[in-house]
């Protein structure tokens, strides 16, 4: 099915009449080391692609195992791509010291801090390298039709003292969509994303570590609220967040800032919809509840 | 919602408009030590109960996180109960030496081997103690309407040399249903169950360890193929298994033995349906694909 010189098949599972395949390949464009893998389910030939960005400490497996995306995606005929969240085994000093920075926390940016800039290039990896590899491998994907969505949930139970989840993938999806110069993605959706990372501690820590220019540099390219202010063309954005989400309650997510900026830039409800879901938290139970909604939202623009 | 002297709430997540609650309580009837927990989602008051039995090495979390059961169960108004798979912290010598025996591998039987018989009483726990506790705690469950289903998947990645999955929950569901003297469960379904454990190595090992009479004792009560031979009243059984399931291919599951015995005992397709699903394996990707089918099958008898 795929050119095996480009993509090496790691495992395969049949699911909802489609196939979930895990591949590994040698990243050259983003210079991330081996062990980079991707997982994809595709129902029929030349289907559009919906990219799912997982969150802090996650891998390419979390969304595939717990998201509940395969049923609705198969019903619509949309392929799903689950990239990993960071390089693995890059060997950068300090990359595995913290749970919220480095391995498992690539933040979907291209690092400019010299210590990380060789390997931590998740922006290039997701937006350029993966589509190139999928195309070169001859997979039955129509790369002219792409959308992106994301969430994150903290999974490494070994650290019981730290927060149980963190929204990296939603942030990644929004910023990749909004910052694209080529309108690479037709639509974006996010489950309880961090919407204004330059104004929250996790974002500030990551940007300081990865970027020479810190939050000032980040505001240009990696902050959804800053980015929406500059978009004057029509956008297609769906956000869901739960009122029982502790990070929302702590003011880490700040969807209100994003919606306010969007409205001020002229994007109404038909372009930017942020739904407050009563009583839901930050877990995959929340995500799976609204999985079908999100797939159907993207299907509108992909099919 | 529940009497907190009986059930202590550990966590709660909203899912598909219902609630997933994890409780712990002190088991007295089955004499299993503390840390016994259960997880339950209930949509509305006095709904019927569908019990999900997870498999070897699993806990009460696996089916809840990966099964994809909440959407279809909420649509039908059925509560789901996810018991743990064994006592935890019983302290029996040797209980945590093997991955396929002892902790995480209670086999849904009452042990008669004196070393295990004090604590390893999963049959009593699931069929008597949990309903009693749910009733006493005042949860909005109609215990006169119960069904049972199960599967299992091996999850402890720490043992990479051992098989990646094992069908304990399907075996448990079939035997609890078939052996019940009171017809406690209205229907049973199983994902790739071990159907004839006295004739497979895992069953033989477990029965030898837990039961004084070994497989001879097991044949009376804990082997689905032996049990169906003795059932002359109508039964309601649905089994799905995948043709790419390595345990099926190795002859560990033996659904054909079960179907043959069922037909000889006069149970036709309308009573015992075993579906061979082309290309599916033993994972939760397989389970989630057919989750709605199984919930709808039980709904027919529960509603």
């Amino acid at each position: 099915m795929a050119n095996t010189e480009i993509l090496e098949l790691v495992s395969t599972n049949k699911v909802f009449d489609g196939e979930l395949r895990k591949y590994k390949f040698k990243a050259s464009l983003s210079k991330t080391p081996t062990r980079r893998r991707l997982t994809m389910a595709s129902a029929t030939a030349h289907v559009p692609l919906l990219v799912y960005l997982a969150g802090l400490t996650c891998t390419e497996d979390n969304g595939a195992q717990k998201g509940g995306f395969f049923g609705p995606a198969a019903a619509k005929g949309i392929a799903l791509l689950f990239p990993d969240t960071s390089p693995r085994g890059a060997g950068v000093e300090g990359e595995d010291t913290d749970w919220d920075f480095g391995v498992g926390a690539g933040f979907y940016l291209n690092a400019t801090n010299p210590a990380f800039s060789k390997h931590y290039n998740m922006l290039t990896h997701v937006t350029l390298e993966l589509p190139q590899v999928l195309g070169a491998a001859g997979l039955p994907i129509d790369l002219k039709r792409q959308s992106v969505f994301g969430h994150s949930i903290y999974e490494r139970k070994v650290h019981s003292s730290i927060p149980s989840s963190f929204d990296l993938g939603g942030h990644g999806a929004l910023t990749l969509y909004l910052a694209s110069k080529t309108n690479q993605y037709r639509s974006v959706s996010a489950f309880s994303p961090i919407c204004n990372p330059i104004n929250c501690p996790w974002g500030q820590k990551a940007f300081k570590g990865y970027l020479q220019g810190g939050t000032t540099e980040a505001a240009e390219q990696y902050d959804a609220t800053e980015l929406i202010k500059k978009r004057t063309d029509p956008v297609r954005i769906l956000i869901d967040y739960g009122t029982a989400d502790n990070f929302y309650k702590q003011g880490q997510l700040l969807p209100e800032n994003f919606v306010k900026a969007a409205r001020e830039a002229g994007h109404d409800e038909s372009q930017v919809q942020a739904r407050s879901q009563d009583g839901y938290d930050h877990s995959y139970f929340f995500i799976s509840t609204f999985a079908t909604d999100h797939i159907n939202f993207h299907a509108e623009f992909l099919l």
Side-chain angles (χ1 to χ4, degrees), chain A:
Chain A
M1 198 83 166
N3 183 330
T4 53
E5 282 176 26
I6 296 170
L7 287 178
E8 183 188 335
L9 191 64
V10 175
S11 67
T12 178
N13 305 91
K14 192 168 177 179
V15 60
F16 283 95
D17 240 6
E19 253 191 306
L20 174 67
R21 297 193 210 123
K22 185 178 283 196
Y23 295 108
K24 64 180 176 183
F25 69 96
K26 205 170 165 57
S28 52
L29 193 62
S30 67
K31 297 215 174 50
T32 51
T34 57
R35 279 205 58 210
R36 180 59 51 86
R37 293 176 296 181
L38 61 98
T39 310
M40 197 191 64
S42 160
T44 51
H46 289 96
V47 292
L49 182 68
L50 180 55
V51 182
Y52 181 82
L53 303 181
L56 204 69
T57 77
C58 286
T59 71
E60 70 283 5
D61 288 331
N62 305 68
Q65 292 180 353
K66 297 182 178 174
F69 303 128
F70 293 116
K76 293 288 183 184
I78 294 172
L80 295 167
L81 171 66
F82 300 89
D84 202 350
T85 53
S86 78
R88 304 275 166 181
V92 178
E93 199 184 326
E95 70 173 358
D96 51 7
T97 310
D98 291 358
W99 64 276
D100 55 358
F101 184 76
V103 174
F107 245 79
Y108 302 108
L109 51 72
N110 286 341
T112 54
N113 175 341
F116 288 91
S117 60
K118 184 177 173 197
H119 296 306
Y120 281 72
N121 297 304
M122 288 299 292
L123 178 65
T124 297
H125 177 67
V126 172
T127 59
L128 292 177
E129 184 164 53
L130 287 180
Q132 261 188 28
V133 168
L134 294 182
L139 289 171
I141 305 288
D142 177 5
L143 293 167
K144 289 191 291 296
R145 291 183 287 156
Q146 292 184 48
S147 285
V148 63
F149 71 146
H151 173 72
S152 93
I153 180 86
Y154 174 76
E155 294 268 3
R156 275 196 316 214
K157 292 189 180 162
V158 68
H159 302 284
S160 59
S161 61
I162 59 171
S164 67
S165 51
F166 182 80
D167 257 305
L168 183 62
H171 148 78
L174 288 172
T175 56
L176 263 54
Y177 171 84
L178 288 168
S180 174
K181 308 284 187 218
T182 60
N183 287 335
Q184 178 168 1
Y185 304 106
R186 296 189 177 193
S187 50
V188 63
S189 73
F191 297 96
S192 27
I194 288 181
C195 294
N196 195 186
I198 60 171
N199 288 319
C200 86
W202 283 314
Q204 289 161 348
K205 174 177 178 178
F207 295 144
K208 191 181 162 194
Y210 284 128
L211 304 175
Q212 288 191 298
T215 52
T216 311
E217 184 180 347
E220 289 298 308
Q221 200 173 357
Y222 301 122
D223 185 284
T225 297
E226 293 300 313
L227 287 167
I228 192 73
K229 294 176 183 172
K230 295 184 266 181
R231 286 291 294 256
T232 50
D233 54 328
V235 293
R236 285 119 173 212
I237 301 176
L238 172 65
I239 292 172
D240 275 315
Y241 59 96
T243 62
D245 181 332
N246 283 328
F247 298 121
Y248 170 66
K249 288 192 275 189
Q250 290 162 14
Q252 296 277 15
L253 307 185
L254 305 171
E256 294 84 357
N257 291 9
F258 180 74
V259 172
K260 183 167 177 284
R263 298 288 180 261
E264 286 173 5
H267 306 290
D268 64 10
E269 274 271 323
S270 73
Q271 289 184 33
V272 175
Q273 200 182 358
R275 310 189 299 189
S276 162
Q277 302 289 1
D278 185 53
Y280 285 93
D281 59 26
H282 199 91
S283 69
Y284 268 102
F285 299 117
F286 163 57
I287 299 178
S288 63
T289 301
F290 298 98
T292 302
D293 277 11
H294 281 240
I295 299 289
N296 291 349
F297 168 76
H298 291 290
E300 228 180 284
F301 308 107
L302 288 171
L303 299 178

